[in-house]
Amino acid sequence: MSLDEAIRVTAPAPVARRRSRHSATPPAQTALTLEQLRSFGAQPAAIAGDHAITFAELADRVANRIAARRTTQRHVEIIVARPDLDTIVEFLAALHLENPVALAPDEAAAAQLDARFGDTKPDDIHPDLALLMSTSGTTGTSKLVRLSKGAVTSNAIAIADYLELRSDDRAITSLPLHYCYGLSVLTSHLAVGASVVLTDAAVVDPCFWAAVDRWNVTGLAGVPYTFELLDRQRATGVERLAAPSLRYVTQAGGRLDPAAVDHLVCLGDQHNFDMFVMYGQTEATARMTYLDPDAARTWPGSIGRPIPGGSIELRPVQGAAPGIGEIVYSGPNVMMGYAASGDDLARGHEFDELSTGDLARFNAAGLLEIVGRANRIVKIHGLRTDLDQLEADLANCGITALCTGDDNGIVIARLDETTNSVAHDTDLLEATAQLVAIPPARLAAVSLPAWPRTLSGKIDLPSVTTAARSIQHASTDTDTTVQHAFELIVGPVNAPSTQTFASLGGDSFSYVEMSIRLEPLIGTLPSDWHLQSVSALTALAEDHEPSTSKRWTRLDTSVVIRALAIVLIVCTHMGLYRLPGGAHTLLLVLGYNVARFQLSSAGEPGRLRKVSTTIARVAVPTVAWIGTQMLLFGGYSLGALLLVNNYFGSAWRRDGRWEYWYFETFVQSMIVIGLLFAIPAVRRAERRTPFGFALVVVAVTLVFRFQIIELGDSYNSMFRPHMVACFIALGWAAQRARHVWQGLLVTGLLAVTSVGYFGQVDREWRIILLGTALIWLPTIPVPRLAARLIGVIAAASMHIFLIHWQVWPLFTPWLDRHVALAATVATGVAVWWVLDRLCSAARQQRSRALRRVSSGNDQAGSL
């Protein structure tokens, strides 16, 4: 077929979908009006946190927002697009009032938009204009696409049509709303009465998948980087796409390798979801083509056929091979034009077709296949960056540089004739980062003594790329950074913009160690730092200015209690002072941290592996320590070695002794929790009502605490898991308490549980007071000079607890008992420090090995 014949393909009738599970909601004919929203009535429209809002309630909120407006004059509404209900209400209210909306990713970008469009007068706004969307990752001087309400509506309806969306579908905000793909997920679902789960959690965050599982999310949208992150987690044994509620997965925002498409289609067959590959640009509102799952099985390298209502023409390009032409799209979703300032908003429809700049051909099935680009535009994380424009923007900043790269990253290079070697260019990297909104990890900036040349005299771009990448990887091996700290404590960090301490498998032990390393870099840590991405923490570190003037800082209460409890334990066992209650307080902290770390990732398939890692942190050194003593001195039974002596010992101080009851309880309790949360129904119940579920657990454990049900004889009864589980459960409930009444209830239950448990008033009230602090005080002020000491003791608490029985008798014959206490604690800290450094070295070696592999892959496939 000749290109001269102006090849044109129109959208066929929708192909019948497999595994249809929908109600009979018809495709939308109009979209996003108040009347239509109300027509869906009591169906859920949006879900934020624990609350679902119906379409009728959403319509009422939009109407109330409209009624509260101070002016009815048309103006540009600049909205910071957050994944929350307020953003949706503002957006829909603006559409109803026919005010054009400019969506911004943050306040800084909103301020820039306001400076450009905020003073535009009503008469200077075209009546059809509805939306202003950024075309790429650039900021400040970037062009905005002018979209009409008809374009927004038609594209939403077309997407809903070919995905066969129905009212019982439910999407999740896996992509930002200021990005045209992310916004199209919202509009296409609302257009048919489907709902959207609102979350700012990243796709690697366990909280994201907890929401997928809890709310039965049916649709997931992703860009290539999304699936790259999921692939990395899959390599660790975590298959996110196995979520049973998923019915369709969509991909756009850049080319996905055909092998990756084929793999996702196979995963869809395995886990019962349909995989749609899509192609679009902001200039076409969102989508221009789609590849249905059946076609993807045979043609995974294709972008499919035009969306309903659209058409594609391939136009000849000089120098292109026969059969290859530039994609030119026509349809009602084509933009009105661009806007660089307020003067452009009065302009009408300037385009009825879109020249995409992408070169393509038709395959034997009549489906489109992209083969290259007609210009220098790369697409990273779904954001397009024009390399020519980037060079021009750098020149405007007084920097003469060369830009190259592809959809995996950008290399920026400039000449520095004063040097004789290739060097990492920090200033150039910072200047570029101000102009493009892509992660710094996808940028490599270098200065060169001379341009490498090919035999023909042209600049050798592959050589520039290779040099830049080698410098980039060499520099990251020696940096003392937040990411370096993560790799020392929890292992390799492959996606710093999305991975968090929780998603990397952090637990209560590594939490304390990480706190110690991060506090000097960041200062006082945010209460939710364990849920913030590595990149976000790095940004906090960059903004942190070390201060020596502050004498006080704040530490996480659980850290302070751990340090205090272990000192109370050693002090009591030495006979220095009688201050019992520390071990049972540590059980409260255990339950608190189980809820904070283990249950936060309870929905992922690899959760048992993470629980096993936590168990191993305790079981391995405990068994090794007991086994060593058995070999050298005897005195311990097989039950003690296997950490089951608390159930199989026959007397209080016989048959293997009782000293390690806490470690036995820890391991046995974590095994039970791990197995319990391997059951999907249990996971769903906990996510649906976290605090209510915790109360049920407390109620069950109190049955054993008050011996309504008795298990076994009375041997060591106060230290058996079924008896002390009430303290673990109360710590769990304390972490889940979000309201004052919930905190008061847990405090009361703690008092009821503790009073009379030991028959020792001082011990019981010590547990109550420390537990109350855990419930009500997120952090505790401590002298800055003491903060690190407290943190180190807390981090080493398990090792101190483990060895102190054998260590303190070595010091007491010749040291003052107070000094012996300090020496015992210091010995435990020393053991922890040595083992921690050995583990950190192993993790760092693994991180370096993975980076070397990644570097080799990058060089093999270009940046």
Side-chain angles (χ1 to χ4, degrees), residues 223-280:
V223 296
Y225 186 60
T226 305
F227 299 102
E228 179 184 333
L229 295 177
L230 296 178
D231 279 342
R232 292 175 182 175
Q233 292 211 326
R234 186 176 300 115
T236 66
V238 179
E239 180 49 78
R240 300 293 197 182
L241 295 179
S245 62
L246 281 181
R247 189 187 65 80
Y248 50 94
V249 175
T250 66
Q251 178 271 322
R255 182 179 182 271
L256 196 61
D257 186 81
V261 173
D262 187 65
H263 179 63
L264 288 168
V265 171
C266 291
L267 280 176
D269 291 337
Q270 180 181 352
H271 299 298
N272 209 33
F273 65 80
D274 285 333
M275 179 66 202
F276 285 86
V277 175
M278 307 189 300
Y279 164 74

Side-chain angles (χ1 to χ4, degrees), residues 575-722:
L576 181 57
Y577 299 104
R578 188 183 177 282
L579 299 169
H584 286 75
T585 301
L586 286 180
L587 291 176
L588 287 170
V589 175
L590 169 61
Y592 188 90
N593 285 324
V594 163
R596 180 157 55 165
F597 301 117
Q598 302 297 336
L599 299 188
S600 68
S601 58
E604 55 185 282
R607 188 186 110 31
L608 284 177
R609 178 185 57 80
K610 293 184 179 181
V611 174
S612 299
T613 299
T614 299
I615 294 172
R617 282 177 174 264
V618 174
V620 171
T622 304
V623 170
W625 183 248
I626 295 174
T628 300
Q629 293 180 76
M630 290 176 66
L631 290 173
L632 296 178
F633 312 110
Y636 288 91
S637 67
L638 180 62
L641 181 67
L642 298 178
L643 303 182
V644 293
N645 190 61
N646 53 357
Y647 280 105
F648 294 95
S650 59
W652 178 256
R653 291 181 180 271
R654 299 202 316 269
D655 192 20
R657 307 194 308 202
W658 58 275
E659 294 96 322
Y660 298 104
W661 73 267
Y662 176 86
F663 299 93
E664 294 168 346
T665 296
F666 185 104
V667 171
Q668 294 164 19
S669 299
M670 289 301 298
I671 289 173
V672 171
I673 291 171
L675 294 176
L676 183 66
F677 277 84
I679 303 171
V682 173
R683 298 198 300 268
R684 287 193 294 269
E686 197 278 334
R687 286 167 190 158
R688 191 171 298 111
T689 54
F691 183 72
F693 189 93
L695 287 183
V696 172
V697 175
V698 171
V700 171
T701 60
L702 290 181
V703 169
F704 299 103
R705 150 68 180 93
F706 291 104
Q707 297 182 316
I708 298 172
I709 297 178
E710 296 188 37
L711 295 179
D713 59 28
S714 60
Y715 163 69
N716 217 359
S717 62
M718 289 191 300
F719 304 102
R720 287 183 170 183
H722 68 275

